[in-house]
Amino acid sequence: TRERIGTSKKLAETTLRKRKVEIAEGRYLDKKKEIKVRFKDFAIEYRKWAEVNNKAFQKGKSWMIERLVGHFGEQLLSDVTAWHVEKYKAARKEEIHKRNLKRSPEKKQLSLATINRELTCLKHMFNKGLEWGKTEKNPVLKVRFFKENKGRLRYLLLEEVTHLIDCCPSFLKPIVITAVCTGLRKGEIVNIKWEDIDFRNSIIYIENTKNGEKREVPINDYLTETLKSIKKRDTSPYVFCNKDGKPCYDFRKSFATALNAAGIKDFRFHDLRHTFASNLVMEGVDLATVRELLGHKSIEMTLRYSHLSPDHKSKAVKVMDLLMGMDTNMDTKRMSTR
């Protein structure tokens, strides 16, 4: 290996002795040239990867990438340390606190979970950087995430669901029915194409899921008839689309109006997913089956849906009345025999 040091022979001899020591200690041959990749340039490559390999991730986390680029953009990947990530964490916490103070009570408050999602995105970016040879470390691995409160669990009983559907405008009814009958996420629902529905076998094939895995979702007769009643547009492959043929993403105002008409408060569209799972559990469906229907990777993610209504718990406790009643009868028989 040849290495240019300068014009000084003395400096060259000194450097040579240093290199010999490094070789003797087994350190020199392991040294690699410093990889110089700016965060903002890597983010472009990462976004391209996400667009091809995980469309759901790219769409949902695009704003996170932009925020991270705004903070780390000019830094080299190799220069980002756990200390830099901790500074970002602290700055975002302060920013969120200030923004929440300015928000009115009825508006959704930002939480520490928001920062955790950003850190998760950053961690994944560095993991890809390691995989692609763009960096030699992942500084996020040494950073502790904020402790989060248990996720919100809000669901409707079947009577409330029926009332809500009745209050929805015609274009929104089949979307809500699909959510209630399948537990699919909003992004998965609006991206359903007619070719994804197998009416013969009563299955919807979901291509772009949150975890990137394809899955088959069974549909019941009620949903089947609902989907068949939707008029197809020759200009669009999507089941739920706007006049321009694009997926119908923006129906927040219409959904809020329907909730108000139904007298339902503190409820989001995503809570229809909770409604699907909670009602299944209350009817005795096991968590393993619910997990498969929701597309969760682990049973831990499904355990939150085991929360049951007080009425259902009361019914479960009454089973002990029956058992104890049987024991009492047996004791009475024994006493009469004696």
Side-chain angles (χ1 to χ4, degrees):
T1 300
R2 293 183 178 273
E3 184 178 348
R4 186 179 295 278
I5 299 300
T7 57
S8 171
K9 181 179 180 181
K10 186 176 181 180
L11 177 60
E13 290 174 342
T14 300
T15 303
L16 177 61
R17 286 194 295 272
K18 182 179 178 181
R19 295 291 180 264
K20 285 182 177 180
V21 172
E22 290 175 346
I23 291 171
E25 294 177 350
R27 293 185 290 117
Y28 181 72
L29 296 178
D30 293 333
K31 293 179 71 175
K32 297 181 180 179
K33 290 184 179 180
E34 184 181 1
I35 305 170
K36 295 184 178 181
V37 180
R38 290 195 181 281
F39 187 92
K40 64 180 183 180
D41 297 327
F42 174 74
I44 295 174
E45 297 302 317
Y46 178 79
R47 188 188 295 276
K48 289 178 180 177
W49 172 85
E51 289 174 350
V52 174
N53 295 276
N54 196 331
K55 293 182 180 179
F57 175 87
Q58 192 275 336
K59 181 173 181 60
K61 303 299 185 293
S62 179
W63 64 272
M64 291 188 185
I65 297 174
E66 292 298 328
R67 184 175 293 282
L68 293 168
V69 169
H71 187 88
F72 298 102
E74 297 300 326
Q75 285 185 267
L76 298 177
L77 288 180
S78 57
D79 288 344
V80 179
T81 65
W83 179 74
H84 291 104
V85 180
E86 290 287 359
K87 283 185 66 178
Y88 173 80
K89 220 175 88 175
R92 282 291 288 138
K93 182 180 179 181
E94 181 63 22
E95 181 184 346
I96 283 180
H97 177 66
K98 289 180 179 179
R99 288 175 64 182
N100 282 339
L101 291 176
K102 295 179 181 179
R103 285 173 176 252
S104 56
E106 62 272 10
K107 286 189 176 181
K108 180 183 177 183
Q109 298 288 293
L110 299 174
S111 65
L112 296 180
T114 303
I115 304 175
N116 284 348
R117 300 296 85 76
E118 293 169 12
L119 293 176
T120 299
C121 180
L122 183 64
K123 181 180 177 181
H124 190 259
M125 292 177 75
F126 271 100
N127 280 339
K128 282 298 173 186
L130 281 167
E131 184 180 323
W132 299 338
K134 302 293 185 180
T135 184
E136 295 178 1
K137 65 181 187 305
N138 186 340
V140 190
L141 295 176
K142 298 179 181 180
V143 176
R144 295 185 66 176
F145 286 26
F146 287 114
K147 186 175 181 180
E148 298 180 29
N149 294 327
K150 289 187 176 181
R152 174 183 185 277
L153 186 58
R154 172 80 165 90
Y155 63 91
L156 301 177
L157 298 177
L158 295 181
E159 313 88 72
E160 295 175 297
V161 171
T162 302
H163 188 38
L164 173 61
I165 292 172
D166 290 338
C167 293
C168 288
S170 57
F171 85 93
L172 187 58
K173 282 184 180 181
I175 296 177
V176 172
I177 291 172
T178 302
V180 170
C181 292
T182 63
L184 290 173
R185 301 176 180 89
K186 177 182 177 181
E188 295 169 340
I189 293 172
V190 297
N191 280 297
I192 295 175
K193 297 178 181 179
W194 288 109
E195 63 185 32
D196 298 329
I197 304 176
D198 182 352
F199 285 113
R200 185 174 182 179
N201 295 304
S202 299
I203 292 174
I204 297 178
Y205 297 95
I206 304 299
E207 295 289 329
N208 296 316
T209 63
K210 184 178 180 180
N211 57 31
E213 297 179 357
K214 298 179 182 179
R215 76 177 195 271
E216 299 178 0
V217 178
I219 55 178
N220 56 26
D221 294 339
Y222 179 48
L223 179 55
T224 298
E225 293 305 313
T226 300
L227 294 174
K228 285 183 177 180
S229 67
I230 299 174
K231 187 177 180 180
K232 293 183 181 180
R233 290 181 181 270
D234 296 333
T235 57
S236 177
Y238 296 100
V239 177
F240 308 110
C241 60
N242 299 318
K243 293 180 179 179
D244 58 4
K246 294 181 179 180
C248 183
Y249 279 107
D250 190 13
F251 49 78
R252 183 168 51 184
K253 289 184 179 179
S254 298
F255 187 66
T257 301
L259 288 173
N260 187 50
I264 298 172
K265 298 180 180 180
D266 188 30
F267 196 81
R268 307 167 304 180
F269 185 84
H270 188 76
D271 293 330
L272 294 174
R273 179 170 166 85
H274 300 331
T275 297
F276 168 77
S278 296
N279 277 281
L280 288 184
V281 173
M282 286 189 289
E283 290 300 318
V285 178
D286 62 279
L287 289 178
T289 301
V290 175
R291 168 182 167 269
E292 290 182 18
L293 292 171
L294 293 176
H296 285 163
K297 282 190 173 182
S298 64
I299 193 66
E300 285 75 18
M301 298 174 69
T302 317
L303 288 175
R304 62 180 304 198
Y305 296 104
S306 62
H307 172 73
L308 304 173
S309 71
D311 290 342
H312 189 79
K313 289 181 179 178
S314 297
K315 291 178 182 178
V317 172
K318 287 180 180 178
V319 172
M320 292 305 298
D321 287 339
L322 178 61
L323 294 175
M324 294 183 73
M326 290 174 64
D327 289 339
T328 302
N329 291 335
M330 289 177 67
D331 290 340
T332 302
K333 288 180 180 179
R334 286 171 185 169
M335 289 177 68
S336 61
T337 301
R338 289 177 184 175

